[in-house]
Amino acid sequence: MALKNKQTIPKDSPLSRIVAQRTGNWLLAHVNEHLESSSTVRADKGWFHPSALSNPCDALLAFAYMGAIGKSTTGAKLQRIFDHGTGRDEYWKRYLHDSGLSLMGHWGGSPKERKLASIERSFEIPNLRIRGEFDDMAANPTTREVYIVEFKTKREDLFEAMRAPDPDHVIQVHPYMFAKGVLQAMFIYECKNCQDVKTYVQKFDGELWNSLTTRLANIVQLVENKKLPWRTPMKNDSQCSFFTTCGGFEFKE
């Protein structure tokens, strides 16, 4: 006799991992639990980070600037997607370093080498309160033209549809170009499925940069005057790191 009202356990959920403990899937269950519990939200009080500047919500950037601690849950699968991109980023840095194209002096596997590489790629723009770390900088061996280099990965369907760099990524590289005085960047997009590669060159856009710096200056001024910018409703709004605090936030003297 068929069971009525049979319950379906959501895939990749806490309950599914409890069930997995009693089967041959115990190893994956433990790893997934670790990946979910180890996710954190970066807070860097007093600074903006390039990867966040494309977000249309001024309130989110204001919270990040104030060093607010956001709450975020990253599923195990999504964390593995992030880690895949990070891993390919490291490989591409090694490719550029070993081929002699990189203008960065350090790259390697030891903790000391990684620390030196991170320091070398770090930058600050104090008057705009922007700081971060770019991927690489390389020179054309024939023309000696210098480029900021940014590595990205895409799943196959998105990769095949690409005809230009993502607008979010274009915004992200502008602080890198400005900080280093290198007014062109090269994107390297790698397909996650087959490792095909597309490259795009992005020139520094003065109009885009001026609009970005004006926006950040307005956010800083509002925060300093104990005001919070308007929140911009977005798709998947509830996934915002500051969703639970944004509505009722008040400045305290």
Side-chain angles (χ1 to χ4, degrees), residues 24-36:
N25 294 324
W26 61 268
L27 188 146
L28 181 58
H30 276 280
V31 171
N32 284 347
E33 188 71 25
H34 162 72
L35 290 175
E36 287 198 356

Side-chain angles (χ1 to χ4, degrees), residues 197-218:
V197 173
K198 292 182 179 181
T199 62
Y200 301 99
V201 172
Q202 174 66 47
K203 300 291 186 179
F204 187 85
D205 185 334
E207 185 175 345
L208 185 155
W209 180 246
N210 288 335
S211 66
L212 178 61
T213 57
T214 298
R215 180 192 182 197
L216 297 184
N218 290 336

Side-chain angles (χ1 to χ4, degrees), residues 167-186:
D168 290 1
H169 299 156
V170 171
I171 292 174
Q172 180 183 348
V173 298
H174 270 73
Y176 306 156
M177 291 190 282
F178 182 87
K180 305 306 292 184
V182 177
L183 303 184
Q184 55 190 358
M186 181 176 293

Side-chain angles (χ1 to χ4, degrees), residues 58-117:
D58 286 354
L60 180 144
L61 290 181
F63 276 118
Y65 177 76
M66 290 187 291
I69 303 299
K71 296 181 179 180
S72 179
T73 300
T74 302
K77 179 179 178 180
L78 183 58
Q79 187 60 53
R80 290 195 296 272
I81 291 173
F82 291 156
D83 290 342
H84 182 277
T86 300
R88 293 309 299 164
D89 173 280
E90 292 185 1
Y91 275 112
W92 273 100
K93 287 175 181 174
R94 183 171 291 109
Y95 298 159
L96 263 63
H97 179 272
D98 293 350
S99 64
L101 294 175
S102 177
L103 297 177
M104 302 288 96
H106 301 92
W107 187 253
S110 73
K112 182 178 180 180
E113 288 174 317
R114 287 178 179 274
K115 183 177 181 179
L116 289 171

